[in-house]
Amino acid sequence: MADADEDTMPRGPSQGTEDIDLSDETQDFRFLTSISKSESSLPKRGEKDFEPHATALQSNTLAASRDAMHNALSYQRTHAPKGMTVGHYHPESGMAWTMNPKGPLFAKMGHVRSAKDDPLGGGVEERGQRMWLLPEEVLYLVERGTLDVRWPPAVEGEEGLPMSLQGAYAMFIGDGEGGLTLERYSVYSGLKRMGYTVVRAPTWNSPDPPNGADCYPPLRQATWQTGLLNSASLWKMLFAWRSTPSPPPSPTDPIIQPGDSFRSYDAIYHRLALIPFYNPSLQTQPNPSNPEAVETTPPFRITYHIYKPGSTTYKKSSPGTPDFRIAVVNARESHPPTLQQLDALMETCPWDPPKEGANMYAKLRHGYKNVILAVVDQGVASFVRVADAAFGTERVFERRAKQSGGKRGGKGVRGGRGGRGRDGGR
């Protein structure tokens, strides 16, 4: 009876359709056969059969839909003559070059090299006009239809044959050392489609250079170097004995010693802090005369520098400090990083402490150094932030809750309605 009652119960329009994923269904592409080049609007989608019943009618419908889809994709894509940019593949360098590129995308992509660094050399008439594109930039522009890449011509002076998208993937993606892998390109293209500016990091295919002074906290200058103390610093120094708690005792000594007096909870919690913690701000800079290179493993190296969409500080000649640093990791070929690998990766990041007045959770999430791991698993990228945080410096017991400012009042207030004062009441 219970099953029969449940079958007869009315269901809302949203019930029973939560488990249906329309993206997994086979679409009917037969409507593409009625599209003409003169039509400017897209046709509406037709009705679909959601349940296969293995009949000849349904099989013929699916076959006709597939044929219509292949016919629609087989049309030759053309470029407008005014906005067409032709690139030329250079097999020796694995890049492509173009002359006088057109379009807004080239404002943040490609580089014009000098005659000394140009793989083809440089004449006077070509100086400052030949733009070289990296493999990931070429693939992204070819996929968008912005760039038409040509194969090297068999005879010098002639125009090469057009390169297809399949040929571009075969030529520009390679698994060699320092080459562009499919995982790196999937991260690059995904971020570019979202509007980010993506630039190769200096550690793309080489070990990390020796750490500079920007990777460590700034040195604290002595009093005679900073000059006279201001009034706030002098006041803090004179009355520091009232606010500074006593140092924690030795692990072998008792926590409460004779003569100790605790007048606040902060002093008690300070005395209970027996376990030493990690503080990144206490790191010291190495000897500049003998720098040591950081030994990082290839999967856990910074691959790209990322700039936010609409960034006004980025320039090709001087990119500036990136907003994010990403290391691309192949999930099928790499294991989770060890503590030594993460430590070496963090040492290559510049010193970036959190803001002073930020929230405690925002400080811990940002850390003093941070890097993003783009873990790619069969084309699906997951971004994980790894930060060099200091949990011991964020003392929870020193936080003070904000007191709500209530209004003072009550019986007997002068001028109140219920009071019996001189100016109130009856």
Side-chain angles (χ1 to χ4, degrees):
M1 293 296 293
D3 297 338
D5 294 339
E6 291 179 358
D7 295 338
T8 57
M9 290 176 60
R11 299 181 181 272
S14 61
Q15 296 181 357
T17 60
E18 297 179 356
D19 299 335
I20 298 177
D21 189 3
L22 299 181
S23 61
D24 296 337
E25 302 294 335
T26 304
Q27 301 182 11
D28 189 359
F29 291 95
R30 289 180 296 172
F31 66 91
L32 295 175
T33 57
S34 60
I35 300 178
S36 61
K37 296 182 180 179
S38 60
E39 295 181 359
S40 58
S41 61
L42 294 176
K44 297 182 180 180
R45 299 175 62 180
E47 297 180 358
K48 297 187 295 185
D49 295 333
F50 294 99
E51 296 182 0
H53 42 75
T55 59
L57 177 61
Q58 190 180 55
S59 301
N60 295 335
T61 303
L62 293 176
S65 177
R66 294 191 191 97
D67 294 339
M69 180 185 63
H70 289 298
N71 293 334
L73 296 177
S74 63
Y75 280 105
Q76 185 178 5
R77 190 169 185 175
T78 59
H79 299 267
K82 294 183 179 180
M84 182 178 179
T85 302
V86 179
H88 303 275
Y89 173 57
H90 189 250
E92 288 76 9
S93 62
M95 297 185 295
W97 60 273
T98 179
M99 299 285 292
N100 300 325
K102 304 177 181 64
L105 293 177
F106 293 95
K108 297 182 179 180
M109 300 175 67
H111 286 83
V112 178
R113 301 192 175 187
S114 60
K116 181 180 179 181
D117 299 332
D118 198 316
L120 295 178
V124 178
E125 66 280 357
E126 298 175 352
R127 185 175 301 172
Q129 297 182 1
R130 183 184 292 145
M131 178 179 289
W132 288 90
L133 300 170
L134 296 173
E136 59 269 20
E137 297 174 338
V138 176
L139 280 178
Y140 179 74
L141 294 174
V142 170
E143 283 187 345
R144 287 180 53 90
T146 308
L147 184 66
D148 182 13
V149 183
R150 302 299 178 90
W151 292 94
V155 180
E156 186 177 357
E158 295 183 357
E159 191 74 19
L161 297 176
M163 180 183 293
S164 63
L165 181 60
Q166 293 85 348
Y169 266 90
M171 291 295 103
F172 293 104
I173 289 184
D175 296 333
E177 184 178 359
L180 177 66
T181 60
L182 192 59
E183 289 76 20
R184 288 181 172 182
Y185 176 69
S186 62
V187 174
Y188 176 87
S189 60
L191 293 175
K192 288 291 292 184
R193 291 189 183 97
M194 289 188 288
Y196 291 92
T197 302
V198 187
V199 182
R200 276 192 182 187
T203 56
W204 171 273
N205 58 351
S206 61
D208 300 80
N211 292 340
D214 58 339
C215 297
Y216 298 93
L219 296 176
R220 298 182 179 179
Q221 297 180 349
T223 306
W224 60 272
Q225 293 176 331
T226 57
L228 296 177
L229 297 175
N230 52 19
S231 58
S233 301
L234 182 61
W235 184 271
K236 184 177 180 180
M237 182 180 65
L238 292 176
F239 293 92
W241 62 273
R242 299 186 61 182
S243 59
T244 304
S246 58
S250 175
T252 58
D253 297 338
I255 298 178
I256 301 177
Q257 299 180 359
D260 290 343
S261 60
F262 301 97
R263 301 182 181 275
S264 64
Y265 285 104
D266 292 353
I268 298 176
Y269 285 117
H270 274 288
R271 180 57 62 89
L272 293 176
L274 301 177
I275 302 176
F277 57 87
Y278 169 70
N279 191 355
S281 60
L282 300 180
Q283 294 181 356
T284 58
Q285 298 184 7
N287 187 6
S289 60
N290 187 19
E292 296 181 359
V294 181
E295 297 181 359
T296 55
T297 54
F300 302 101
R301 290 177 181 171
I302 298 178
T303 310
Y304 293 115
H305 287 172
I306 312 299
Y307 299 85
K308 293 181 180 180
S311 177
T312 58
T313 59
Y314 173 78
K315 295 180 181 179
K316 276 188 180 182
S317 57
S318 179
T321 304
D323 298 315
F324 307 101
R325 295 168 179 84
I326 288 184
V328 181
V329 181
N330 187 358
R332 297 299 176 114
E333 298 180 359
S334 303
H335 298 283
T338 61
L339 183 59
Q340 290 77 10
Q341 291 174 335
L342 288 179
D343 185 46
L345 179 61
M346 285 298 172
E347 288 187 6
T348 60
C349 299
W351 179 257
D352 186 17
K355 296 181 179 180
E356 199 64 33
N359 187 14
M360 181 186 68
Y361 300 101
K363 289 182 179 180
L364 295 177
R365 184 171 58 252
H366 183 274
Y368 291 81
K369 296 180 180 181
N370 60 82
V371 67
I372 297 177
L373 298 180
V375 184
V376 183
D377 186 4
Q378 296 294 327
V380 180
S382 302
F383 298 92
V384 182
R385 181 195 292 268
V386 181
D388 189 12
F391 288 86
T393 58
E394 303 298 330
R395 297 182 175 89
V396 181
F397 57 86
E398 293 182 356
R399 300 172 59 190
R400 297 292 182 266
K402 295 183 179 180
Q403 298 180 359
S404 58
K407 295 183 179 180
R408 298 178 59 185
K411 294 183 179 181
V413 179
R414 184 176 181 180
R417 182 178 179 181
R420 295 184 178 180
R422 182 178 59 183
D423 298 333
R426 295 180 180 178

